[in-house]
Amino acid sequence: MARTLVFGLGGQRYPAVPTKVDRKKLYGWSETVAVDDDGNTLQVAAVDATGTIVIPAGGVGFGLLDVDERWVERSALHAVTADGADAEPVPSSFDAPVELTDTATPDDLLAHAITAVYQLVDAPDGFCEAVGDQIYRFDYSFRAGYTASPAFVLVSDGVVFLLVGRHTPFELVGLDQPAVVVDDEADQADDDDEIDFSMM
């Protein structure tokens, strides 16, 4: 079931369901199907370490063990920070209205690697106009946990988009920064002109 995000902007509430825009919807896709000589579709299976037991798909899972190799339930785990303190939980963005108060510049947006693009196709009337030419930024979390991703709300061609990504800090080299040019041929010529006194 689709979940609804509620955005707060200018004292108004704008509910909208994010619809993911992926490459399959834009360009289509192809699939490779493995079949036997009779045309029957082959099923993926695994083999145990001895090579004698065939494990069908879905028969292998992951478990968590403590230092004494005892089974640990996932519910017994909790997140900590680098210094060992308990990490603060982050609520889901769908649990409460998202207040769009922080704006971003195009450079701020371009400093992020966008990992997911959502189209807010059913946004109510007035939301597109309320966003306007601004780029709004907020912390997005699909489900409650301990991490949130930077997200941006913007309008393009009359459609409101939600972009989710991660910050990728990097430095650019500008044309005003001089570079050092090394002339290897000149160094080679100087080496050839040297006199080897051991030959005399």
Side-chain angles (χ1 to χ4, degrees), residues 56-191:
V60 178
F62 293 95
L64 301 172
L65 303 177
D66 61 12
V67 293
D68 297 324
E69 298 185 359
R70 292 178 297 189
W71 188 269
V72 177
E73 294 294 338
R74 189 174 296 276
S75 59
L77 303 176
H78 66 280
V80 296
T81 60
D83 57 2
D86 289 342
E88 292 292 333
V90 176
S92 171
S93 299
F94 295 89
D95 293 342
V98 176
E99 298 296 337
L100 299 179
T101 57
D102 296 334
T103 58
T105 65
D107 287 340
D108 295 333
L109 175 60
L110 293 174
H112 291 75
I114 302 303
T115 57
V117 176
Y118 298 91
Q119 185 177 358
L120 305 177
V121 292
D122 61 344
D125 295 338
F127 188 36
C128 183
E129 291 76 11
V131 175
D133 296 331
Q134 294 286 351
I135 301 175
Y136 289 95
R137 184 199 181 283
F138 69 97
D139 292 329
Y140 174 79
S141 179
F142 180 78
R143 61 177 58 87
Y146 293 96
T147 59
S149 301
F152 302 88
V153 174
L154 55 87
V155 174
S156 177
D157 293 332
V159 180
V160 185
F161 289 92
L162 168 64
L163 281 62
V164 182
R166 64 177 184 277
H167 187 246
T168 54
F170 57 89
E171 296 182 1
L172 296 177
V173 177
L175 296 177
D176 56 343
Q177 296 178 341
V180 178
V181 178
V182 178
D183 191 352
D184 293 335
E185 294 182 0
D187 293 342
Q188 183 67 33
D190 293 340
D191 293 341

Side-chain angles (χ1 to χ4, degrees), residues 46-55:
V47 180
D48 73 334
T50 64
T52 58
I53 299 176
V54 177
I55 305 172

